[in-house]
Amino acid sequence: MLQPFAAKMTNAGSSARMFASTVVTLGCAFLLLMAAGIGVVIAITREANRLEAQRQAERVETAFNAQIRLNELRLQSLTATGELPDALQEDDPKVALQAAFKRLRGQLVDFDGAYIASARGIVLAGTETDTQLVRSGAEGLRHLEAFLRGAKEFPVSVAVGEELLPQFGTTRSTIVRDGDETLMLTVVDLSRVVPFSAASMPETLFLIAYRHISTSLLAELSDRYRVADIRLVSAQPGDRLNGLALRGPDGTASGWLSWTPARPGDVMLHRFLWALIAVALLFSAIFIFVVQRLRAAAGQIELRERQIQRLAGQDELSLLPNRRSFDLTLDQTLADLQRDGQGLAVMLIDLDRFKAVNDTYGHTAGDELIRQVAARLVSATQAGGTVARIGGDEFGIIQTQATPAGCTALAERILARLTEPFIVMGIEVTIGCSIGIAMAPRDGKDREMLLRLADTALYQSKNSGRNRFAFFETQMNRSLQLKRMVEDDLRRAIENDELTLHYQPQVSVDGSTVVGVEALVRWPHPVHGMIPPSDFIAIAEERGLIMPLSEWVLRRACIEARRWSGVRLAVNVSPIQFRHKDFVANVIRIIEETDFDPAQLELELTEGVLIEDADAAETAMMDIRAHGVGLALDDFGTGYSSLIYLRRFAFDKIKIDRSFLEYMEATGESAILVHSMAHLGRALGLRVCAEGVETAEQHRFLQAIGCHELQGFLFSKAVPAHEIDRLLGLDNPFAEVLIAA
Ligand code: C2E
Ligand code: CA
Ligand code: CA
């Protein structure tokens, strides 16, 4: 029976594993995606930086070249104005050159200096500002020589007349170092401009102008070409700085232009960092959301797996058959029983203190305990037995080929196994169990009946103390049914006035006169017949119905007994009712409402009312007596310390319990007790009543020892009110007269 379920178990938890692996996969995918995203962003940033750096380098180069071009154009346009050519027509070229240069000077403001030199390096004329340069002519020549060396293709051929202007390409520029300074040097070959006569100027002449690469010039370039902080450095700039080599005529770098590169990628990254973070957060949120949805889905799948297991008849925790499967098996076994006629037993096992373990150590411990209990039950059950978990801490066993002796042995085995301590999660716990057994076909033949009867037996074994088993017995069923019925119906019965009162006469000691009646409640039930108070008073007390019940009794008794004037009415008081704070007030109210004479009423209390709070009881009793109501101590002699109460509390009467009379004939001891009780009562000035008088012998004895009143079947059982009427002769017109007599 257990085998197929065990096999199926391997499926359990697969959805959990699936969920875990899906989450891992998703997590990896998510991380990869994030990494890829970050990679792309970094690449874009780098590329943007690189492109812009390249573009800036191009711009700086362009800017610098443009500056040089500008210098060249300026110088060319100067030489083309005609002033210089004119001067060169003079006889003394040197004088003429100086004069012409003087005139040019005003137009050389863009340059820091200029001079005219011969190819041999002789300075023929120069700016005043450049006196130093002129003075150090050799230096100037070095520039020139360097320049000429570098510019091999420099055109030296002489152009003529009208072809002057198109020959403007005779200008060259270069960069040279001059001490700490770096100069942009621009040279015009004057022989292309002026047609010298060989006689007047045998050498080729050059106009040389220069410009310092100054901070202001660079600032201007920076500004114009939007390249931050262009500056001149002597060494090659570092990684983070871009540079442009300024090469002299010999091709060696005579300096570097450097600047702080714009990093648009970085700027963009900064600007969009928040957006990126937001995107990352969004992705994370989506990831978490997806994981949660997945988890919920996995939960659903697991739940469905369990449902499937349940439908398949297995309890997912204990791996035993579940309730459904148990029922099916029982039906099947009962059907087989019809054919082979062998006995079958249904056992219900209910664990004690399981809830305590669950509450104290948690559900995991509870689950573990259930598994262990299941294992012990399986091991205790013989072949042919089916163990199932049919409720939280309830198990059921179907035992085929069962005999009462076999069942007793099995139940004892189970009790022994389950009362041994369990080790649950390292903790030793002890539980117990109660077992109820019903047998087929002896007790019943169908499933529902057997289960109900086994449950009744279980209930019984629980009620008679735990760690027991009980076979179902017919009478069990009745009392249990009754208890359940009372629990269900009593409130309605009180409300609907379905109860009734019987009255038992109390007679004078010679048995001749009815001196009182005791009201005793009855419940004529449409199905269960007349139900005695012993069957429902205790339940009424348990269920909080004793107050309405007692009030109903007192009211009804007062109304009915009003017509029995001269006859005392005794009414029983339950301890719970007596302890109620409004007890006295309620009694008085009902007496008044029913217009009953308080002196005619006698309340019967038991010791139970006095034990719990003696002071309060005393107060209530004094109060009630002050209103003229009498008090009797009921069931006298059965309590623990009747004598003490008798001394302390103000009773009018004691009622010697009927159990003393019951055993009086058998043991002489009882007679002595009854004798001393009666004696004591009389000594304390109380009326003494004996209950349960059934025989003439008892009557004689009680009369002899001096009892005042008697009550018992010998005189009358409790009877309906109209019977009391008859007894008192109230149903005949002379009744009043008779009683008086
Ligand atoms: P109790 O107060 O001791 O009432 C006397 C019981 O003894 C009655 O049983 C009565 O029928 C029974 N009895 C009387 N004479 C004899 C006899 O000669 N031989 C035997 N064997 N029994 C006799 P009942 O009516 O079943 O009442 C049982 C108990 O239920 C009462 O005991 C009383 O404690 C309680 N009870 C009855 N009616 C009420 C009620 O209205 N209120 C409260 N609180 N309790 C009530
Ligand atoms: Ca009584
Ligand atoms: Ca009694």
Side-chain angles (χ1 to χ4, degrees):
M1 183 94 211
L2 298 178
Q3 229 37 52
F5 295 123
K8 266 189 203 148
M9 243 330 268
T10 43
N11 290 341
S14 62
S15 58
R17 277 197 298 281
M18 219 168 73
F19 168 69
S21 74
T22 312
V23 166
V24 168
T25 314
L26 261 181
C28 289
F30 175 71
L31 287 178
L32 275 178
L33 201 71
M34 290 285 266
I38 292 171
V40 167
V41 167
I42 289 175
I44 289 176
T45 311
R46 285 243 176 103
E47 186 59 12
N49 286 344
R50 196 189 63 77
L51 278 178
E52 181 57 18
Q54 192 182 327
R55 236 174 279 138
Q56 275 192 325
E58 282 166 13
R59 284 213 300 275
V60 171
E61 197 171 354
T62 310
F64 199 71
N65 286 341
Q67 189 58 52
I68 288 172
R69 270 315 303 140
L70 196 71
N71 291 347
E72 288 176 357
L73 281 173
R74 288 255 167 80
L75 219 54
Q76 279 178 351
S77 66
L78 270 182
T79 50
T81 50
E83 305 234 17
L84 214 47
D86 279 353
L88 293 176
Q89 305 298 325
E90 295 291 323
D91 288 340
D92 183 352
K94 193 169 179 180
V95 175
L97 275 173
Q98 277 170 354
F101 193 84
K102 236 175 222 166
R103 282 201 296 279
L104 275 179
R105 241 178 55 202
Q107 293 168 57
L108 282 168
V109 283
D110 283 337
F111 295 93
D112 294 320
Y115 49 93
I116 294 171
S118 71
R120 263 188 293 142
I122 297 158
V123 176
L124 302 169
T127 52
E128 276 173 3
T129 51
D130 198 45
T131 46
Q132 192 204 331
L133 196 68
V134 175
R135 248 182 281 124
S136 54
E139 193 68 16
L141 274 180
R142 257 203 315 109
H143 297 327
L144 187 62
E145 267 171 21
F147 175 73
L148 291 175
R149 262 203 312 279
K152 292 237 165 56
E153 79 282 18
F154 196 88
V156 279
S157 62
V158 174
V160 278
E162 306 82 78
E163 288 166 62
L164 250 177
L165 284 174
Q167 298 290 330
F168 263 47
T170 58
T171 316
R172 290 301 305 255
S173 293
T174 189
I175 308 290
V176 287
R177 288 253 347 145
D178 176 25
D180 287 343
E181 308 248 37
T182 307
L183 306 176
M184 276 188 286
L185 204 67
T186 308
V187 182
V188 181
D189 175 7
L190 287 179
S191 59
R192 308 287 303 270
V193 181
V194 185
F196 291 104
S197 62
S200 59
M201 189 53 69
E203 281 179 277
T204 310
L205 291 183
F206 299 101
L207 173 59
I208 302 161
Y210 59 88
R211 244 189 119 161
H212 295 286
I213 301 178
S214 65
T215 356
S216 62
L217 174 71
L218 293 175
E220 198 188 311
L221 289 183
S222 272
D223 231 34
R224 195 171 323 136
Y225 290 89
R226 297 186 320 283
V227 177
D229 190 23
I230 302 178
R231 60 200 173 278
L232 200 59
V233 293
S234 47
Q236 182 161 7
D239 288 343
R240 306 266 312 163
L241 294 177
N242 289 10
L244 179 71
L246 302 178
R247 296 187 192 284
D250 55 355
T252 55
S254 47
W256 296 81
L257 279 187
S258 180
W259 61 92
T260 309
R263 303 181 68 85
D266 292 2
V267 172
M268 186 190 70
L269 193 65
H270 270 115
R271 193 165 301 164
F272 293 107
L273 194 63
W274 285 115
L276 287 176
I277 290 173
V279 167
L281 285 177
L282 186 73
F283 265 97
S284 306
I286 290 172
F287 176 71
I288 290 167
F289 175 75
V290 167
V291 166
Q292 273 176 350
R293 288 304 291 260
L294 269 179
R295 178 187 287 167
Q300 284 286 326
I301 291 171
E302 209 173 302
L303 204 72
R304 214 151 298 154
E305 274 175 5
R306 287 190 176 200
Q307 276 169 351
I308 289 167
Q309 281 181 335
R310 210 169 301 144
L311 286 177
Q314 187 190 23
D315 168 53
E316 62 266 17
L317 182 58
S318 63
L319 307 185
L320 295 176
N322 61 11
R323 171 100 218 193
R324 197 183 127 85
S325 175
F326 179 81
D327 285 353
L328 288 173
T329 309
L330 185 52
D331 280 339
Q332 186 58 48
T333 322
L334 282 168
D336 295 345
L337 184 78
Q338 313 281 338
R339 282 194 302 268
D340 60 25
Q342 289 193 308
L344 176 148
V346 175
M347 256 187 204
L348 295 183
I349 301 146
D350 190 90
L351 303 186
D352 293 333
R353 289 192 299 281
F354 169 72
K355 200 179 167 301
V357 173
N358 222 7
D359 292 348
T360 316
Y361 304 112
H363 287 288
T364 319
D367 289 356
E368 178 56 28
L369 182 58
I370 289 292
R371 276 191 280 267
Q372 292 190 22
V373 167
R376 288 193 192 180
L377 283 177
V378 170
S379 77
T381 310
Q382 293 157 321
T386 302
V387 184
R389 181 171 175 228
I390 56 178
D393 61 348
E394 258 188 76
F395 295 84
I397 296 177
I398 302 165
Q399 185 66 57
T400 50
Q401 300 177 345
T403 58
C407 286
T408 304
L410 174 57
E412 277 168 353
R413 254 199 324 273
I414 290 173
L415 281 173
R417 297 265 167 98
L418 293 194
T419 45
E420 271 169 35
F422 290 83
I423 307 292
V424 176
M425 291 164 54
I427 307 156
E428 187 178 298
V429 296
T430 318
I431 56 165
C433 70
S434 305
I435 304 173
I437 309 164
M439 300 198 66
R442 191 185 75 184
D443 301 326
K445 282 185 180 148
D446 68 288
R447 168 166 56 87
E448 280 183 15
M449 170 74 112
L450 279 172
L451 285 176
R452 196 156 44 76
L453 301 185
D455 192 46
T456 304
L458 174 65
Y459 189 91
Q460 186 69 31
S461 69
K462 268 191 190 176
N463 273 2
S464 44
R466 282 138 201 262
N467 287 335
R468 295 159 193 264
F469 67 93
F471 283 91
F472 170 75
E473 285 159 28
T474 325
Q475 142 282 329
M476 238 181 226
N477 208 16
R478 209 207 143 256
S479 65
L480 195 74
Q481 267 179 353
L482 190 76
K483 182 155 195 267
R484 291 195 176 151
M485 181 279 296
V486 168
E487 286 177 351
D488 294 344
D489 294 359
L490 184 60
R491 180 186 301 275
R492 192 181 37 78
I494 298 168
E495 282 164 4
N496 296 356
D497 224 12
E498 285 171 22
L499 304 179
T500 185
L501 286 182
H502 282 187
Y503 299 88
Q504 186 174 34
Q506 298 173 336
V507 299
S508 60
V509 73
D510 60 359
S512 66
T513 320
V514 176
V515 292
V517 289
E518 180 180 359
L520 295 161
V521 66
R522 302 280 181 269
W523 182 2
H525 194 277
V527 179
H528 299 277
M530 191 65 88
I531 304 175
S534 51
D535 282 349
F536 62 88
I537 294 286
I539 298 174
E541 285 176 343
E542 271 172 34
R543 292 289 165 130
L545 292 171
I546 195 68
M547 292 305 293
L549 174 70
S550 306
E551 290 198 10
W552 181 89
V553 168
L554 183 60
R555 184 182 304 274
R556 171 60 61 90
C558 287
I559 292 168
E560 288 184 332
R562 227 172 13 201
R563 59 182 187 266
W564 306 323
S565 57
V567 174
R568 213 179 313 102
L569 170 67
V571 175
N572 292 287
V573 172
S574 136
I576 292 179
Q577 176 194 2
F578 181 79
R579 275 180 225 128
H580 198 281
K581 62 176 173 32
D582 296 332
F583 168 66
V584 178
N586 283 345
V587 169
I588 302 306
R589 177 172 49 81
I590 291 169
I591 292 174
E592 281 169 6
E593 280 170 11
T594 54
D595 195 22
F596 195 77
D597 176 11
Q600 201 187 333
L601 182 64
E602 187 171 71
L603 298 180
E604 293 191 1
L605 310 181
T606 52
E607 280 180 22
V609 305
L610 312 172
I611 293 169
E612 219 156 81
D613 185 349
D615 292 338
E618 195 171 10
T619 314
M621 286 171 67
M622 301 298 272
D623 197 5
I624 206 97
R625 272 173 66 99
H627 285 88
V629 176
L631 292 174
L633 180 55
D634 202 357
D635 303 342
F636 183 70
T638 55
Y640 301 99
S641 42
S642 306
L643 297 180
I644 298 168
Y645 293 119
L646 265 195
R647 280 189 157 280
R648 177 168 178 183
F649 299 98
F651 286 103
D652 301 285
K653 169 170 153 179
I654 55 170
K655 292 180 78 177
I656 299 171
D657 191 70
R658 69 167 186 268
S659 57
F660 294 102
L661 298 198
E662 228 173 280
Y663 302 113
M664 208 167 65
E665 265 111 65
T667 67
E669 213 175 288
S670 281
I672 299 169
L673 276 175
V674 174
H675 192 161
S676 33
M677 283 189 266
H679 186 75
L680 182 77
R682 290 178 70 94
L684 289 171
L686 307 177
R687 277 181 296 119
V688 178
C689 176
E691 284 190 285
V693 187
E694 291 181 358
T695 64
E697 207 176 320
Q698 289 170 342
H699 183 193
R700 274 195 297 279
F701 173 74
L702 295 166
Q703 206 169 5
I705 62 169
C707 286
H708 299 101
E709 293 166 14
L710 303 172
Q711 184 181 349
F713 292 168
L714 180 64
F715 311 103
S716 171
K717 59 182 178 105
V719 293
H722 62 86
E723 290 280 326
I724 299 291
D725 287 341
R726 208 177 48 78
L727 210 68
L728 297 179
L730 286 184
D731 52 349
N732 89 50
F734 307 107
E736 299 280 346
V737 185
L738 259 174
I739 290 173

